[in-house]
Amino acid sequence: MEIEGGTGPHTPRAAKLRVVLGTLLVHGDRVVSVDSLVAELWRDEPPRTATATVHVYVSQLRKLLHAADPDRGRELLRTQSPGYRLSVPPDRLDLSEFERLHRRGREALAAGRHRAAADLQRRALALRRGPLLSDTPHGPLLEGAAARLAEAGVAALDQRIRADLELGRHHELIAELRSLAAEHPLREELHGHLILALYRAGRQAEALEAFAELRRTLVAELAIEPAPPLQRLHRRILAGDPGLLRTAGGGRTVAVAVRAGHERAMPPADPVFAGRGTALAQVEELLRNAPAGSFVAVAGQPGVGKTAFALEAARRSDPSFPDGRLFLDLHPERGRPLRATEAMSTLLRRRGVRPAKGAGAGELRAAWQAQLAGRQLLLVLDNADSEAQLRPLLPTTGGSSAIVTARRLPAGLGGIRPVLLDTLDPEEARLLFAAAAGPEREAAEPAAVRELLELCGRLPLAVRVAAAQLTARPHWKVACLVDRLRDERYRLGELRIGELDVREPLLRAYRDARPELRQAFRLLGLLPAGRFDRATAAAVLGRSPAETARLLDGLLDDRLLAADRTGHHLPELLRVLAVERLTEEEDPQDTGDAIERLCAEHARAAERVTAVLTHARPTGEEPHDPAGWFTREREALVRAVRQAHRAGRPAAVLRLVAALDGHLETHAAWDAWAETHALALDAARRCGDRGAEARTLRSLGDLAWQQRRPEEAGEYYGLARRVAEESGHRAELSRALVGLAELRMDAGDGADADALLASAHATALADGSGPADPRARFDVLRALGLHALAAGDHARAHARFTDCLDLARTLHDRRLESFAQRALRTARPGPDDHLEVRPGVWRLPAPGRRAESAG
């Protein structure tokens, strides 16, 4: 590993410095977290100073880069949360140049341009100087990258040899192939090339001996026979098949068309495929009874396993298609889908037909449909990009059919039979994990596996990546990986190993969407996991109901959103991506505005529910199941308060918390009450809202009183009293005085309670002309009634509770009315079994002391 430039090559001497440089380089202009670098350097035993040491290594690398390029060297290595990014132009990195040449060579081979393919792969291979970072210790990331590049190197070599064989260079290849076969005794494709080259060179006996030698090795080492393609080659050599021959110019000696066999035409079966039984049965039924011109379209979110599902469905449907199956990836390279003409040419060649040079789209389509006519052939067309790409490929006559996979359904084509794949159900996800990681993993830590699968959103690609990580690191427990995935900020970065990267297909789908859909997707990341309705979405997006519906439908079409009868939701890992993109791309002002709108919508919903639960008169907009609303929405409501506080939107915090006050008390949601009101108190003080400050302090006093923490309750009530007096907020002053009075009543100090209640009663009245705040006056009357009852004055208690009932009826508040009616029954002379001191809060008798209980 060398950095070229300046005065010459610069090679890091320290092994660990080479590890950091190598890890950054193989990630190709992507951020590598500090945690990943620590794991790469020290695996599971990092020193206490690991993070600081990484920073030192990065500083040393910047010096090396500066020495190589004094103008821009330091700028190449940037700090970017949660780690570092090394941005090297592709033309200055051998690895990137190798991958570019290898990709172009593969495309040339697929297009039948064998001379160009051989040249490109030869140039790619010339860039390799041996195994990747052979002089550098490998951690888990470099191990995966080295394995991936080693496979890519063998693939480039294989494709170069294939191209050379097509060009008739079999004589020159024999010596090289003998050496490669000895070096890779179990690589059947290399042995197959040797056998074919020997046969084409007229050395049939040596070709048959090479096959026999390979067979002996496979049986002895692995107890298996050569693969079906090699066995077919062996039979054709025994038969002296002239269709195998090539002239020195690369042409066939006999112009015949050879039909591709099933195994050659399809990728191998997925060894860990699991689940999807219902959907597979649906596809089998659709294909078995497919009318002419129809096809099955499999759609779903990125990473849901569309390709694996289509291949499994094709395998199960094999008896219905005796003329074979053909597979074609219509989008083999990122950003470059195959044109329809390229796809038809490739399919024709796989059927053994070489299209005429310069054939137009019409000629290719006629030739392709002629191949399908009268046959029962199944096509698997993977990663379809557009209807225009698909239309000429699909069978138009009976007998043949197709399975098409796509993120978006090609709904404009006739004959479509859609099958939509969702994430796996819990049992299917467990089966996939057990198949990929081994059943012993699941059996040893079943609870950790269940949490792992939920953190992966039960997305097949994520489950496979998690299983691959555990397989690559047998010393890891499942719980160790679960710990790494719990933090949403790093989850997508952790779900990557080798060429398997969960973020990449999710991010590609996001970037393929229109700009307005991308922004809508980001803003929906403000919502918690789970279902949401259109009103909530409209609030976050700041759009009208009609515009919101259009945006949601667009996200559904792009498979960036899911929906069912209960509402819309972002699938788990897409939701994590939305949060990530929101942080990286959205303007903070727009994010804050969206949070403020969301809080306002939550506040309106809370107020509507309160109205339904407390008012005898209908509100005209009753929410579904108002009694269960707070329980369902509690997490989302608390999350919204946190978001508004973090975004610096104090008014939004105060409005939402005020709307939640009664719900928090009614449901005894003490933790949520404490958290939201602590944030509200800070928000009130930040924006100078003294009334909100007094209200929040008084509510925190109520919470402490209910939790039987009288000293803390007294402090809050005292602060609320002082703020209310200073700011002239009479209603909150009255309620703070009532709270203090109730504390004195609990302590048995009737005289102090009398004085405080008298002051509260006077404060709750507006110059004696009527109630300044009906709810504040109700609290005063309630406390006066309880105080009279404690003194044994049932008549005065009855009068006070009667006043409470009249006031509750004036307010049309059913909850307060019910409380007043129960209090009146308590005010009658008789045994004091229990006492409801506030709506839903009871004082129960206990030996030697009082006790309160929220009901």
Side-chain angles (χ1 to χ4, degrees):
M1 179 168 53
E2 294 177 346
I3 304 172
E4 294 186 354
T7 59
H10 302 261
T11 302
R13 294 183 180 180
K16 290 193 180 300
L17 194 58
R18 294 197 298 273
V19 170
V20 175
L21 177 58
T23 304
L24 292 168
L25 286 171
V26 300
H27 276 73
D29 197 26
R30 285 181 294 184
V31 176
V32 181
S33 70
V34 172
D35 288 346
S36 296
L37 290 171
V38 169
E40 195 70 16
L41 288 162
W42 296 284
R43 292 187 179 263
D44 292 330
E45 297 180 357
R48 288 186 302 104
T49 60
T51 300
T53 305
V54 168
H55 296 327
V56 172
Y57 289 153
V58 169
S59 177
Q60 292 173 358
L61 282 180
R62 286 195 172 114
K63 292 178 183 177
L64 278 174
L65 292 168
H66 177 71
D69 184 353
D71 294 330
R72 296 185 59 252
R74 287 184 179 275
E75 299 174 6
L76 298 178
L77 181 50
R78 290 175 293 163
T79 301
Q80 186 172 338
S81 180
Y84 302 96
R85 178 192 294 232
L86 182 56
S87 301
V88 180
D91 60 349
R92 298 181 64 184
L93 183 62
D94 286 350
L95 175 60
S96 299
E97 184 66 7
F98 167 80
E99 291 174 336
R100 184 184 71 84
L101 291 169
H102 177 36
R103 181 182 69 252
R104 289 180 57 200
R106 184 167 60 245
E107 293 169 353
L109 185 63
R113 295 184 285 110
H114 301 117
R115 197 172 304 281
D119 178 62
L120 287 163
Q121 298 294 7
R122 193 171 282 108
R123 287 164 57 194
L125 291 165
L127 294 170
R128 302 189 67 217
R129 306 178 189 178
L132 177 69
L133 303 174
S134 57
D135 63 341
T136 300
H138 287 184
L141 294 175
L142 288 182
E143 281 179 1
R148 175 177 63 82
L149 189 60
E151 281 298 317
V154 174
L157 180 63
D158 172 70
Q159 290 163 26
R160 194 223 83 206
I161 293 169
R162 287 178 187 275
D164 281 340
L165 283 170
E166 288 295 322
L167 293 168
R169 296 171 178 166
H170 34 271
H171 288 284
E172 302 98 297
L173 287 170
I174 289 174
E176 179 187 8
L177 286 168
R178 284 196 186 279
S179 174
L180 288 170
E183 184 182 350
H184 304 282
L186 302 179
R187 299 294 295 232
E188 293 184 59
E189 68 273 23
L190 295 176
H191 288 268
H193 295 329
L194 172 61
I195 293 165
L196 181 58
L198 288 167
Y199 177 70
R200 286 181 176 173
R203 296 154 69 171
Q204 183 177 11
E206 291 180 64
L208 293 172
E209 175 55 32
F211 175 84
E213 177 62 27
L214 170 65
R215 182 181 180 279
R216 284 193 292 270
T217 301
L218 291 174
V219 170
E221 295 289 335
L222 304 175
I224 61 172
E225 292 287 339
L230 270 175
Q231 294 185 32
R232 283 197 302 276
L233 176 62
H234 182 239
R235 290 194 297 269
R236 293 177 70 185
I237 291 173
L238 286 171
D241 186 348
L244 291 175
L245 300 178
R246 293 289 185 277
T247 64
R252 295 188 180 192
T253 57
V254 180
V256 296
V258 182
R259 197 183 92 186
H262 288 200
E263 295 81 6
R264 182 181 176 188
M266 296 290 290
D270 184 348
V272 299
F273 185 88
R276 304 291 195 198
T278 302
L280 286 168
Q282 180 186 359
V283 173
E284 287 184 73
E285 179 66 21
L286 290 172
L287 291 174
R288 193 163 43 244
N289 300 304
S294 68
F295 68 100
V296 173
V298 179
Q301 73 172 89
V304 83
K306 298 182 288 293
T307 302
F309 174 83
L311 291 171
E312 182 66 15
R315 186 185 68 78
R316 296 191 182 199
S317 301
D318 191 46
S320 300
F321 298 94
D323 289 312
R325 300 167 292 163
L326 281 175
F327 174 89
L328 181 62
D329 187 349
L330 295 174
H331 204 148
E333 299 295 335
R334 187 186 307 176
R336 188 190 174 279
L338 292 181
R339 297 189 300 273
T341 52
E342 292 177 305
M344 287 187 287
S345 296
T346 302
L347 289 169
L348 284 167
R349 282 194 299 274
R350 290 185 181 177
R351 292 292 297 170
V353 177
R354 188 179 298 277
K357 286 187 177 181
E363 294 173 285
L364 290 170
R365 184 169 187 174
W368 173 237
Q369 292 300 328
Q371 281 293 308
L372 297 174
R375 291 187 173 91
Q376 292 176 291
L377 188 70
L378 178 62
L379 307 178
V380 179
L381 303 173
D382 196 31
N383 292 319
D385 182 71
S386 67
E387 294 171 11
Q389 179 195 47
L390 273 176
R391 188 174 285 108
L393 308 180
L394 296 170
T396 57
T397 56
S400 295
S401 190
I403 301 175
V404 174
T405 74
R407 199 168 64 244
R408 302 177 185 89
L409 281 173
L413 294 176
I416 184 173
R417 302 291 187 269
V419 174
L420 300 180
L421 294 186
D422 200 351
T423 52
L424 300 170
D425 66 34
E427 178 59 17
E428 288 177 328
R430 187 190 67 78
L431 290 173
L432 175 59
F433 176 84
E440 64 281 356
R441 284 281 197 178
E442 196 273 336
E445 299 175 82
V449 169
R450 285 194 296 273
E451 184 176 357
L452 174 67
L453 298 177
E454 293 306 315
L455 290 171
C456 290
R458 290 186 266 113
L459 186 69
L461 175 59
V463 174
R464 288 170 182 265
V465 169
Q469 289 180 321
L470 292 168
T471 300
R473 304 175 179 92
H475 56 287
W476 273 18
K477 289 188 175 182
V478 177
C480 175
L481 182 55
V482 167
D483 286 341
R484 297 170 76 106
L485 296 181
R486 283 195 182 114
D487 192 330
E488 288 184 2
R489 295 172 298 171
Y490 307 120
R491 190 181 306 171
L492 292 178
E494 292 287 352
L495 287 172
R496 180 173 184 261
I497 185 169
E499 291 187 333
L500 294 175
D501 184 352
V502 172
R503 178 191 276 110
E504 192 273 332
L506 302 182
L507 192 58
R508 187 166 66 244
Y510 163 75
R511 288 175 174 162
D512 285 347
R514 302 193 309 274
E516 63 173 351
L517 293 179
R518 292 201 296 271
Q519 185 185 41
F521 176 76
R522 293 193 297 270
L523 291 176
L524 290 175
L526 291 169
L527 301 178
R531 269 56 174 178
F532 57 84
D533 57 27
R534 288 196 175 183
T536 303
V540 170
L541 301 180
R543 302 294 189 105
S544 68
E547 289 176 317
T548 299
R550 180 175 57 80
L551 289 171
L552 295 180
D553 288 344
L555 291 171
L556 285 169
D557 291 342
D558 284 350
R559 308 300 161 200
L560 293 171
L561 186 66
D564 55 29
R565 293 180 180 178
T566 63
H568 295 77
H569 73 280
L570 286 170
E572 176 61 12
L573 295 184
L574 281 170
R575 183 188 64 79
V576 173
L577 179 71
V579 173
E580 175 188 282
R581 292 299 91 205
L582 182 78
T583 303
E584 291 286 333
E585 300 178 31
E586 196 64 32
D587 183 273
Q589 179 68 33
D590 292 340
T591 301
D593 291 346
I595 291 170
E596 195 155 343
R597 293 192 300 268
L598 177 62
C599 287
E601 174 59 28
H602 283 322
R604 286 191 292 270
E607 289 158 2
R608 288 196 296 269
V609 171
T610 299
V612 170
L613 293 175
T614 61
H615 287 62
R617 294 180 300 185
T619 64
E621 192 182 355
E622 293 199 10
H624 172 69
D625 184 22
W629 173 83
F630 180 79
T631 301
R632 291 194 311 273
E633 300 295 328
R634 179 189 305 190
E635 180 184 344
L637 297 166
V638 175
R639 175 189 171 103
V641 173
R642 289 192 206 111
Q643 289 171 320
H645 184 267
R646 194 162 50 241
R649 301 295 175 117
V653 172
L654 295 174
R655 180 180 176 188
L656 180 52
V657 172
L660 295 179
D661 236 349
H663 298 285
L664 294 164
E665 183 173 7
T666 301
H667 289 82
W670 289 348
D671 290 342
W673 190 345
E675 180 180 359
T676 56
H677 281 65
L679 297 175
L681 182 59
D682 182 69
R685 287 170 173 168
R686 283 173 182 263
C687 67
D689 188 335
R690 303 305 300 282
E693 183 181 357
R695 180 180 68 243
T696 307
L697 287 165
R698 187 264 310 157
S699 184
L700 286 168
D702 290 346
L703 171 63
W705 180 80
Q706 288 201 30
Q707 292 183 297
R708 289 177 291 182
R709 301 199 305 269
E711 290 185 6
E712 183 180 334
E715 290 177 9
Y716 279 125
Y717 287 142
L719 287 170
R721 176 184 184 178
R722 190 191 72 193
V723 172
E725 285 175 339
E726 292 172 353
S727 57
H729 285 83
R730 189 171 56 251
E732 285 305 329
L733 174 57
S734 171
R735 298 184 75 177
L737 290 168
V738 167
L740 289 168
E742 289 183 304
L743 287 174
R744 302 317 304 155
M745 283 191 280
D746 287 346
D749 191 342
D752 275 1
D754 275 335
L756 287 165
L757 287 174
S759 180
H761 193 219
T763 304
L765 299 176
D767 301 325
S769 60
D773 182 301
R775 180 57 201 266
R777 186 158 186 252
F778 182 94
D779 275 349
V780 174
L781 293 170
R782 171 189 60 77
L784 287 169
L786 291 170
H787 190 42
L789 198 60
D793 190 342
H794 289 83
R796 189 155 60 97
H798 192 276
R800 293 303 190 189
F801 290 142
T802 299
D803 291 339
C804 282
L805 181 59
D806 292 340
L807 189 54
R809 286 171 174 167
T810 301
L811 291 169
H812 303 288
D813 191 320
R814 290 179 293 187
R815 184 166 178 259
L816 296 184
E817 185 178 342
S818 297
F819 166 80
Q821 289 171 338
R822 292 191 295 271
L824 281 169
R825 289 193 292 272
T826 306
R828 296 169 187 159
D832 183 16
D833 295 330
H834 57 273
L835 186 64
E836 187 178 7
V837 292
R838 296 187 185 185
V841 181
W842 301 78
R843 178 181 294 133
L844 306 178
R849 66 183 183 92
R850 295 185 179 97
E852 281 79 29
S853 165

